[in-house]
Amino acid sequence: MEEKNEAIRLNTGHEERERALDWLTALLPAVVISLIYYRLPALMLEVLAVGGALMAGLLLARPCGHSRQALPLPQSVLTALLAVFCLPSGAPYWAAALIGALAAVFACVPVLMGRVLPGSVFARPLLQPSIAAFLLLRVVFPGVAAGHTLPVQWLGVDTLTAATPLAAFSGRPTAVTAWQLFFGVCSGAIGETCTAALLLGALYLIVRRRVHLVAPAVMLATVSLLSLLVWRSPLYALLAGSTVLTALLLADRQFMPASVGVQAVTGLTAGGLTVLLRAVGPWSEGTSVALLLSQALIPVLPLFWRRSRPHLSRLFAAVGRALRRFWQFLRGKMQKTEKSEK
């Protein structure tokens, strides 16, 4: 029995390493773009975040039952990069090391819970550790998210402080075009602004079958539709901020079950919360909070569906009957109008 458990553990560790390597390959274009646009500050932030994650993994190795590192090296690097991608190039260096360490700690929580409560729901990865670390850091140290700079190296200037395109959701004017948003030639975090680089990574993950497509597709469609109603600029809402990066993280198979219904509801929740938080929240960028809240609902959705399925079936049937009667009423009106005209 012990040999069987050891074989399962080794197989799971190998699959996790392969997953982390695929995600690191997918994030390589975004890393290259960050180094081209922001140069030394981006390099320092990324290196310090990886170093913080490795140090935290080293300290948590014994509680997690490992001899050297609590997390494999590829997973530590991946967690740190996803966390530091949310920081601007003007963020202090200590914040990068801290966010990397916090992301590694959050990634180790399922491992620790698996040793304390084997088989429980908390022993499975539920939330994106990198996004949880970023939100915690921003709540405790609100100033770390400031200092957004505009990459203008081709003008002979290292960096230029500027407002992010998300300022448009708060009513402030911005002069950023869709092409600038697509190629990341705008102020923002170092890893989220270039949509083209993120789409290249998403294409690689699709080929490698590392993502589910229903949740991100529903999320992007929801953001487009609601943004059309609120701001009349769906393309701007999709390209600005970390909408594409959030949709990519939402598609991760590790955190998303195979049920199409759960994926659709999760994507709908994430998209609706994104637009809602951008419109009325204290932060113009609400994708991080929307991602965590929608993922936190995933364990509850199957239970809710089983209990509410009979009531929802009756509700949908009643709505269908009402629509049919309304259509029959309209057809009767149209026929009466045609007869009166004749």
Side-chain angles (χ1 to χ4, degrees):
M1 189 66 178
E2 293 181 359
E3 293 179 357
K4 183 179 180 180
N5 292 336
E6 181 69 15
I8 294 175
R9 186 182 66 81
L10 291 175
N11 186 39
T12 304
H14 177 73
E15 292 178 356
E16 179 60 33
R17 185 182 297 272
E18 291 294 326
R19 168 194 166 272
L21 289 174
D22 282 339
W23 272 86
L24 285 175
T25 305
L27 294 179
L28 187 59
V31 173
V32 172
I33 288 296
S34 69
L35 297 179
I36 293 175
Y37 283 178
Y38 299 105
R39 298 183 179 180
L40 183 61
L43 177 63
M44 291 297 297
L45 291 175
E46 291 165 359
V47 170
L48 289 173
V50 172
L54 293 176
M55 287 297 298
L58 184 63
L59 295 176
L60 293 173
R62 187 176 297 275
C64 292
H66 298 276
S67 57
R68 295 182 179 178
Q69 278 282 341
L71 297 174
L73 179 60
Q75 188 178 356
S76 299
V77 177
L78 173 63
T79 305
L81 284 180
L82 287 175
V84 80
F85 272 5
C86 301
L87 294 180
S89 62
Y93 290 156
W94 61 263
L98 181 58
I99 199 174
L102 288 174
V105 170
F106 284 127
C108 291
V109 169
V111 181
L112 295 173
M113 296 303 297
R115 291 172 61 87
V116 178
L117 299 172
S120 67
V121 66
F122 300 103
R124 302 194 307 269
L126 297 178
L127 304 175
Q128 284 284 352
S130 53
I131 303 301
F134 168 69
L135 288 179
L136 178 60
L137 186 70
R138 183 161 184 177
V139 169
V140 179
F141 304 102
V144 299
H148 292 91
T149 53
L150 178 67
V152 287
Q153 291 86 349
W154 48 85
L155 296 180
V157 184
D158 288 337
T159 53
L160 179 67
T161 303
T164 67
L166 296 171
F169 300 124
S170 302
R172 288 178 286 174
T174 57
V176 182
T177 64
W179 284 109
Q180 288 175 319
L181 290 174
F182 185 74
F183 290 106
V185 189
C186 56
S187 58
I190 62 174
E192 67 182 23
T193 54
C194 186
T195 304
L198 295 174
L199 290 180
L200 284 176
L203 181 61
Y204 174 80
L205 292 175
I206 292 173
V207 173
R208 293 289 295 171
R209 297 182 179 180
R210 294 292 181 183
V211 293
H212 290 299
L213 297 180
V214 176
V218 173
M219 176 192 169
L220 296 178
T222 303
V223 171
S224 301
L225 179 60
L226 295 181
S227 299
L228 179 64
L229 299 176
V230 178
W231 299 292
R232 301 185 181 277
S233 55
L235 182 61
Y236 192 94
L238 289 177
L239 298 178
S242 59
T243 308
V244 176
L245 179 60
T246 302
L248 186 61
L249 294 177
L250 194 66
D252 192 352
R253 285 178 177 265
Q254 185 184 30
F255 301 92
M256 185 62 61
S259 172
V260 176
V262 173
Q263 294 179 39
V265 174
T266 305
L268 183 66
T269 305
L273 287 175
T274 296
V275 177
L276 177 64
L277 292 173
R278 282 179 172 179
V280 301
W283 296 340
S284 56
E285 179 59 284
T287 54
S288 301
V289 180
L291 175 63
L292 289 188
L293 290 179
S294 59
Q295 286 184 335
L297 292 176
I298 290 177
V300 186
L301 289 177
L303 179 62
F304 172 78
W305 174 251
R306 284 195 298 267
R307 292 188 175 182
S308 61
R309 187 173 182 178
H311 305 287
L312 292 177
S313 299
R314 288 195 292 269
L315 176 62
F316 291 152
V319 172
R321 289 193 298 269
L323 290 176
R324 283 195 298 269
R325 291 174 182 174
F326 182 67
W327 173 245
Q328 292 172 358
F329 173 76
L330 288 180
R331 287 188 63 182
K333 282 286 187 181
M334 293 172 61
Q335 292 174 357
K336 289 181 179 180
T337 305
E338 292 176 356
K339 290 181 180 180
S340 63
E341 289 178 354
K342 291 180 180 180

